[in-house]
Structure formats: C-alpha cells, structure tokens
Amino acid sequence: MSEHIISTEKLNLWYGDSQALKDVSVQVKNRLVTALIGPSGCGKSTLIRCFNRMNDLVDRCRIEGSITYHGKNIYAADADPVEIRRRIGMVFQKPNPFPKSIYENVAYGPRIHGINNSSKLDAIVEKSLRNAALWDEVRDRLNESAMGLSGGQQQRLCIARTLAVEPEVILMDEPCSALDPIATAKIESLIDKLKEDYCVIIVTHNMQQASRVSDYTGFMYLGEMIEFGGTAQIFESPSRELTENYITGRFG
C-alpha cells in the first residue's frame, strides 16, 4: 500500500480578506495519480501551490493549519522552501520553456544545484527527456531553441525540466488545457508512466481526463474539499449529492 506522502489538516488560506481554502484535510499517496476537480475558482490551484510553498510569493497570503511532507511540517521555521520546491516540482497550465536551447532548458535546474560536469549534464538531459517521452523527437536538435517546439512538445520539455532536478512529487496545474487532443493524449500517457516513480497531483477541469488518468480524485467547491476518494468511487457512486450534481453536469 502506498504511503501518504503529503497530508493537510484543517488547511485554511486567505488572500488578503478573501478566504480561498476552508478546513481542507486530505492525504495524498505516493506513486499514484491524484486529480483535483471542481469549477473555476474553487481552490484547486491554490491547494497545490501550498504543497510546494508557491503561495509564499503572493502578497497578503496567510495560511493556518498544517501541511506535512513525509510527516514533516513544510512551513516549520527550519524548512527550506528551495529544497521543498526541488522535491515537489510543478508544471504549469501554459508551457513556459526558457528562451534557451532544448538542452539548456533541461540542464538549467541541475546547474543551479551545482552540477557543471558536462558528461553528468549530458546524462541528466538524456534521461529526463526520455522520461518525458521527448528524447526521440529532439535528440538531433538539442542545441535549437525550445521556442521552436510545438505546444505539446514544449509541455513535455517543461516536464523534463522538472524531472531533471530529481523531484519526488510532480504537481500539474491544468497541464493539457492549452493543447490539442493528440498532444493531450501524449501527456496523459506520460502521466500514467510517471506514476511508476513519482507521486503526480493534477488539477483539471476535464472530468473525463480525471477519470482516465487518476487513482484518487478530490472534488472541491468554494474552497472546501467536498469529497475525496478512489476515482472509480467518486465517479460511479459519490457519497455527496453536490459531487454527483457536478459530475453529472448539473452545475459547474
């Protein structure tokens, strides 16, 4: 049975006077895919940005409650946000490659962490691109600009860039929303492969996607975690009427 790698207990978050998360308690298991669904503005992205302390960068953001990673409070005084963000990587909604070569996009993180040996970097770049299912498409153009890749390739490059610093958790915030169906299918296939080695948490508006790729699903509404459980149970026999209404399209 997979262990709980990230847990929250009565997590509350405010942006200024506006409360975005309300008493969210959830446990995320390792080496599985967890999807967060719910209408726009319900707190999905806010929640995953708590997991790697990205909300630290938002003015007037205040958090109460606890978030633990391997049982340790990530907001403790001795917690290192830089190390937390290395261990808990993030892929954003819109592909955001650096205006550098394909190679330098992937090598960037390892360089920041002090790896400058060219043969080590070569190995990291190849392994990361292979694990992101991109190597065969770009192996002969590593020195070309990443901006010349298609949208789907750029998103897989961003995943490779995240993998290069050897995270344990990969957060994905609507990773397919800007992609066409073929590119989306490649990302979904990649997510299924990644869970062999990583914990993947995906925010998605696409309920079909959540049902296809995830093992666990959390339904959020107005900042609350309404229901959390196995994906099959959430979609086939939800215990809360609100969940059923959302999944059957009665609102959202």
Side-chain angles (χ1 to χ4, degrees):
M1 198 64 151
S2 297
E3 62 164 320
H4 293 128
I5 187 167
I6 293 176
S7 298
T8 72
E9 186 70 33
K10 293 193 178 303
L11 181 65
N12 290 275
L13 180 144
W14 291 262
Y15 295 125
D17 297 326
S18 174
Q19 188 168 3
L21 296 177
K22 301 170 186 173
D23 284 335
V24 175
S25 296
V26 67
Q27 294 182 316
V28 179
K29 291 186 174 183
N30 199 7
R31 297 195 177 186
L32 292 172
V33 180
T34 297
L36 298 176
I37 62 171
S40 295
C42 69
K44 305 184 298 293
S45 296
T46 296
L47 179 59
I48 67 165
R49 285 165 181 264
C50 291
F51 294 158
N52 69 345
R53 290 189 52 168
M54 283 200 64
N55 287 318
D56 291 14
L57 310 174
V58 179
D59 287 341
R60 299 183 68 215
C61 177
R62 179 167 61 88
I63 287 178
E64 291 179 359
S66 74
I67 306 173
T68 59
Y69 170 58
H70 285 303
K72 295 182 179 175
N73 178 7
I74 66 168
Y75 284 87
D78 62 347
D80 179 357
V82 174
E83 179 62 13
I84 288 165
R85 290 181 195 128
R86 186 184 77 78
R87 302 296 296 151
I88 305 176
M90 190 157 200
V91 177
F92 296 92
Q93 183 170 356
K94 192 169 182 290
N96 60 341
F98 301 140
K100 299 173 180 284
S101 70
I102 293 166
Y103 182 98
E104 286 303 327
N105 263 270
V106 184
Y108 181 84
R111 285 192 202 278
I112 291 287
H113 290 285
I115 297 174
N116 290 300
N117 179 287
S118 60
S119 60
K120 277 188 182 177
L121 286 173
D122 289 350
I124 290 169
V125 169
E126 179 174 345
K127 180 183 177 185
S128 301
L129 288 168
R130 283 189 185 280
N131 287 345
L134 190 57
W135 173 253
D136 290 341
E137 295 169 46
V138 301
R139 61 191 301 172
D140 298 323
R141 46 196 288 217
L142 295 177
N143 294 318
E144 294 179 18
S145 171
M147 311 314 282
L149 297 174
S150 70
Q153 288 174 324
Q154 287 186 5
Q155 192 64 300
R156 280 181 283 146
L157 178 64
C158 292
I159 293 170
R161 191 174 70 195
T162 299
L163 298 179
V165 295
E166 299 186 330
E168 188 175 23
V169 179
I170 303 170
L171 309 174
M172 296 186 170
D173 192 358
E174 294 274 1
C176 302
S177 67
L179 305 181
D180 63 51
I182 292 172
T184 295
K186 287 187 177 181
I187 297 286
E188 289 185 4
S189 175
L190 175 56
I191 288 170
D192 194 53
K193 184 170 176 290
L194 288 172
K195 77 174 183 181
E196 295 173 12
D197 298 301
Y198 305 91
C199 167
V200 180
I201 304 172
I202 178 172
V203 165
T204 179
H205 278 99
N206 185 326
M207 284 186 283
Q208 289 76 24
Q209 182 174 74
S211 66
R212 283 193 299 264
V213 304
S214 70
D215 302 285
Y216 284 83
T217 296
F219 166 57
M220 297 186 70
Y221 185 64
L222 298 179
E224 296 182 48
M225 183 68 72
I226 303 299
E227 188 168 355
F228 185 88
T231 295
Q233 178 259 309
I234 293 289
F235 279 92
E236 293 166 17
S237 56
S239 59
R240 299 286 298 275
E241 185 180 0
L242 194 60
T243 311
E244 183 175 0
N245 287 344
Y246 181 72
I247 284 169
T248 55
R250 287 177 202 156
F251 76 97

